[in-house]
Amino acid sequence: MKSKWCQVVVLSVVGCVALGSTFTSALAKTQSTKNSKPIVAKYCKEETSLGSLLGCTAKKAAGEPVKIGMINTETAPIGAFPELTAATETAVRWINAELGGVGGRPIELITCDTKFSPEGSQSCSQKMVDAKVSAVAGGIDIYADAGLKILEDNAIPYVGGIPAAFGQVKSPISFQFSGGTWGAGVAFADYAVKTLKAKNIGIMYADFGSIKNAAIEYSADIAKKLGAKNIETVPFAITATDFLAPLTAANSGNPDAIFVFAADTACVPVMRASQELGIQAKMLLVGACATPKSTTEAGVGSEGKLFNIEGPISGGGDPDTVMYTSVVKKYGQGLDPIGAGTVSFRAMMNLWVVMSNLKEKGTEPQAIIDAFRASKDAPSFMGHPYTCDGKQIPEFPALCSPQEIMVRYANKKLVQASKGTPSNPYGWIDVPAILKKVS
């Protein structure tokens, strides 16, 4: 089965007891779907990444639930991404209502909010162990290292999300379909030097371990190896709300390009500040800043900005993408189809495919780990094919598909900036190949 690419923007980013809730197929009843044709009937003849698992008749799951966890930062003054949980819930609604759940059994999604704290991450991981989940779907958890050890000790697979912590890209039980900040960093360096012909580069980044590592070792250093001459790096506090000073510093050397490693509440202020300061350098920001909400609020400050994404945006009626849009419309309960949630939706679908193909072993955590680890060029829902053998980027063995695409915001829409070729029409930037070349 030939894999298909996503044409919806796929985004990448960066003391309390975590709260959680249980999400089951019952929630699907709150979405009015009367008199609507099952989505599977519309797309079962199309060539999608789900292959033969996508039947033409809706199969409603029943029986004892299969428990899957979801750990994400949903509520916090900064760094909150509830849309990732909402997207996973949407996937579960569809799986339970039309795809027959896992082996005919409905998925019970047990969610947990880390509240942007190490204690929250630990509490969430312990909650998953106590619930005896088959796997945990990841969201965005900058303090994931605190909780991943618990999942490792209990051999529970941690699947997808947007990796922002070292453990998420290094753990033997983690499988990621996003390059996270590291993938963005390499893509920025490659695009700036090769396409923009940048010699002088300014880099501003949130001063936090994993983000600093990506900005310096996987962006600044890579840019130098690719031919950049002068690079100015400017750290700022991860809790910063005023970005005029760091942006001014990053622009002080009259750079050709400026990389910005910050997301969420930083997106709009940074883009607006660039307009206020009259910055002429090309600005490259993480994909989390490319949401319609951010670009609209930033106004003219968003014009011309470049972003990394992890799925094509060009037209063409890609079956996975069209099907995803239909699923969100029917089961999304207000979810915006464009946003970081595309990454968690993809992860849930990839997990479902693996569990379904394992048949009677589909609920066994170790069997899921082994299946992902054995994957090679496996079709990924709305994404680049994944290989989880741990060899794409040896330092980060959990990155299964860190390839990136660059896009530009122009005339109130995103257009592909990466140069395509007949063999690579979407202009995928092969992050592992670049790292191997410059090593």
Side-chain angles (χ1 to χ4, degrees):
M1 181 63 65
K2 185 171 66 176
S3 60
K4 290 291 180 181
W5 306 116
C6 162
Q7 310 214 355
V8 173
V9 180
V10 181
L11 308 175
S12 63
V13 180
V14 209
C16 63
V17 177
L19 301 178
S21 61
T22 299
F23 173 87
T24 67
S25 57
L27 283 182
K29 296 178 181 178
T30 65
Q31 182 78 1
S32 176
T33 57
K34 292 182 179 180
N35 302 318
S36 59
K37 186 177 182 181
I39 290 169
V40 293
K42 299 177 183 178
Y43 302 105
C44 63
K45 301 297 185 181
E46 301 289 341
E47 192 173 5
T48 73
S49 64
L50 303 183
S52 61
L53 292 175
L54 186 68
C56 291
T57 303
K59 299 177 182 178
K60 187 175 181 179
E64 182 183 359
V66 173
K67 295 180 180 180
I68 294 177
M70 171 79 185
I71 297 177
N72 185 34
T73 303
E74 298 181 34
T75 55
I78 60 172
F81 299 89
E83 64 272 26
L84 272 74
T85 299
T88 302
E89 291 173 341
T90 299
V92 168
R93 289 189 189 98
W94 182 44
I95 290 169
N96 286 344
E98 299 191 22
L99 301 181
V102 175
R105 297 162 57 189
I107 293 172
E108 178 182 348
L109 187 67
I110 300 173
T111 66
C112 195
D113 178 8
T114 70
K115 290 188 175 291
F116 202 75
S117 75
E119 296 85 358
S121 185
Q122 288 178 317
S123 178
C124 282
S125 291
Q126 188 58 53
K127 177 178 180 177
M128 300 308 160
V129 173
D130 295 342
K132 295 181 171 56
V133 300
S134 295
V136 170
I140 294 181
D141 180 7
I142 201 167
Y143 294 110
D145 292 353
L148 272 171
K149 184 63 168 60
I150 295 172
L151 299 180
E152 284 184 23
D153 291 344
N154 290 274
I156 297 175
Y158 181 86
V159 182
I162 299 177
F166 284 118
Q168 292 169 309
V169 295
K170 291 187 175 185
S171 173
I173 51 91
S174 178
F175 304 95
Q176 300 296 318
F177 312 110
S178 165
T181 313
W182 296 275
V186 175
F188 287 177
D190 181 79
Y191 186 82
V193 175
K194 294 182 180 178
T195 302
L196 301 178
K197 308 302 180 184
K199 295 297 183 182
N200 302 315
I201 298 173
I203 300 178
M204 53 181 288
Y205 63 90
D207 196 4
F208 184 85
S210 55
I211 300 174
K212 178 179 179 180
N213 174 259
I216 302 300
E217 296 186 31
Y218 285 83
S219 199
D221 291 354
I222 300 303
K224 287 180 181 178
K225 291 178 180 179
L226 290 173
K229 299 300 182 183
N230 303 301
I231 298 179
E232 181 74 25
T233 58
V234 181
F236 58 87
I238 195 170
T239 55
T241 56
D242 184 353
F243 300 94
L244 277 173
L247 190 52
T248 298
N251 191 51
S252 62
N254 193 29
D256 304 304
I258 296 176
F259 305 166
V260 182
F261 291 95
D264 194 36
T265 55
C267 299
V268 174
V270 166
M271 288 190 278
R272 285 178 175 172
S274 71
Q275 179 70 17
E276 289 180 38
L277 295 171
I279 291 177
Q280 298 300 306
K282 298 295 185 182
M283 291 190 62
L284 292 75
L285 297 87
V286 295
C289 293
T291 63
K293 183 176 184 295
S294 292
T295 53
T296 298
E297 289 184 6
V300 293
S302 60
E303 186 68 19
K305 298 298 185 289
L306 292 152
F307 308 90
N308 69 296
I309 63 171
E310 292 166 339
I313 61 169
S314 56
D318 175 79
D320 268 10
T321 303
V322 177
M323 184 165 60
Y324 162 75
T325 304
S326 297
V327 171
V328 171
K329 182 178 180 180
K330 185 173 183 178
Y331 295 103
Q333 299 185 354
L335 175 69
D336 191 330
I338 299 177
T342 52
V343 178
S344 57
F345 189 99
R346 177 206 299 155
M348 187 67 241
M349 296 312 302
N350 288 350
L351 174 59
W352 175 76
V353 168
V354 166
M355 295 177 75
S356 297
N357 285 334
L358 285 171
K359 300 185 183 304
E360 66 276 3
K361 292 187 176 183
T363 61
E364 298 178 12
Q366 190 58 54
I368 296 170
I369 291 173
D370 293 342
F372 272 120
R373 189 60 66 203
S375 65
K376 184 176 182 180
D377 292 327
S380 181
F381 195 88
M382 301 192 303
H384 192 282
Y386 67 86
T387 298
C388 298
D389 60 3
K391 298 179 181 178
Q392 289 211 65
I393 303 178
E395 185 177 359
F396 301 135
L399 293 181
C400 301
S401 51
Q403 291 79 4
E404 308 285 337
I405 295 172
M406 294 301 299
V407 297
R408 177 183 293 103
Y409 189 76
N411 299 318
K412 298 184 179 181
K413 66 178 181 179
L414 292 170
V415 296
Q416 183 174 313
S418 292
K419 185 178 180 181
T421 65
S423 60
N424 180 19
Y426 301 120
W428 286 103
I429 295 175
D430 194 341
V431 172
I434 293 168
L435 291 175
K436 184 177 181 180
K437 183 177 181 180
V438 300
S439 63

